[in-house]
Amino acid sequence: MPAADTAAQPRGEARHTARSRGAADNAAQPRGEALHTARSRGEARHTAGSRGKADHAGESGRRRHHPAIPAHIDQSRLPPGIYFDARGRGRWYRQYRDEANRLRRRNVADAQATLDELRQIAADRDGLDRDSLAYLAAAFHAAEQFQQLAPRTQQDYAWCRKLLIEMPTKLGKPLGELPTRQFQPALVQRLVDRIASDGTPAKANHLLRYLRRLFRWGINRGYCDTNPARGVEAARERRRRRLPELETVTALTEFARERGQRRRGEAGACAPYLWIVMELAYICRLRGIEVVTLTDAHHTPAGVHTNRRKGSRDSVIRWYPRLRHAWDAATRHRDALWRARALPVPKDAAARPLIVAADGAALQKSSLDSAWQRFIRLAIAERVIRPEQRFGLHDLKRRGITDTAGTRHDKLEASGHRSAAMMDVYDLSVPLVPWPGYDATAP
């Protein structure tokens, strides 16, 4: 019918005519082709309605490029079954069918996830029992809450996860294959007691804390119903409160200063920053991580403004020759390294780390720990100290607090601790007290 005639029709007659045309078209098709066409139309409507599913398959079975997917993802290498929802901040998700054959969706990562992480998520979830401990752990490690943890915490949890899911059981299968509903407080307690009986109570408590966090996360998101690790008794750890002798600290500091002047790679050399870290940890009563995160912004006219962790109070350590010497040595070493490598100098003082690695970048805590262990082994081999005299960097903080002059309150202020109970851990000095009563012969 010409367009003019159609426009002249009443609205109801126009709709009737359109339906008649569709019926005529379908009647002209064989029955099988008509059914196929109807299914194709339904699939097209389903595809158009899936706002979040940004990666559809074309006629060749390969994914089409979609601009909503983050630019750092190579869409041609995306694993099957992983989809992106562009709404809001964006989420990666998987689809699966539950026991009632209903299609369900589960978020697996945020928009910042890398391609390798998405492929690992797909590999971890394929073939896993959805009720098992391994599946719960895989979901937790792929969640946004896990990604927001500190890198060191993520590494620690990854270590705990590997130990738990690979731990053998009397059933002939690893612990990770057990359903979470079979985990009871008694089972977790036996696990903690067995690991502690092997002489590793700290390891047992590490795994217990991880299980508490894992099941708490699972309860809040519907993966499990109870937290079997809650209420389980922790293993009793041996307290190691080492207080190195001042002579030992002095000998090691001078040894680190002398060996730090040797060229990198030379026999008997150590990291040039080690003696500086030792001095700052002792003088400022700092942890190792607090030393390596010092920047030029912590330099004030009055002294060094600390950057304590774990809720401790910051303080300003007043300048005096020994502290000034260590700080200036650190800045000279850093500036010389940056000039030799032609590295740009940040204008922001907070972006200029005080302690740097050989490449000029900020020294990582893991690198400091490795350098310290190598240095202690070298000192023992060179007979600077005996094996029983070895100590950790954290013990220098304890030595510094113990050597602080004044009352217990003065030491509390210097250490940054908020409770007097912590002084029992860090202040190992023996108080000098007067005798009772009055002695007229006393000077």
Side-chain angles (χ1 to χ4, degrees), residues 77-94:
R77 298 178 57 200
L78 275 171
I82 298 289
Y83 305 104
F84 185 73
D85 187 342
R87 294 173 295 181
R89 297 181 179 179
R91 291 288 185 275
W92 291 98
Y93 68 96
R94 294 195 66 179

Side-chain angles (χ1 to χ4, degrees), residues 213-243:
R213 178 72 177 270
L214 176 65
F215 279 100
R216 185 173 71 247
W217 181 89
I219 289 175
N220 295 338
R221 288 154 185 85
Y223 287 89
C224 51
D225 299 324
T226 60
N227 189 343
R230 185 177 182 181
V232 174
E233 298 176 7
R236 185 171 183 176
E237 299 184 31
R238 298 182 301 272
R239 293 186 176 183
R240 294 192 305 172
R241 297 178 179 176
R242 294 174 296 196
L243 185 67

Side-chain angles (χ1 to χ4, degrees), residues 332-343:
R332 285 196 302 269
H333 171 69
R334 178 200 63 193
D335 295 346
L337 194 58
W338 285 356
R339 284 194 301 270
R341 291 182 169 270
L343 296 176

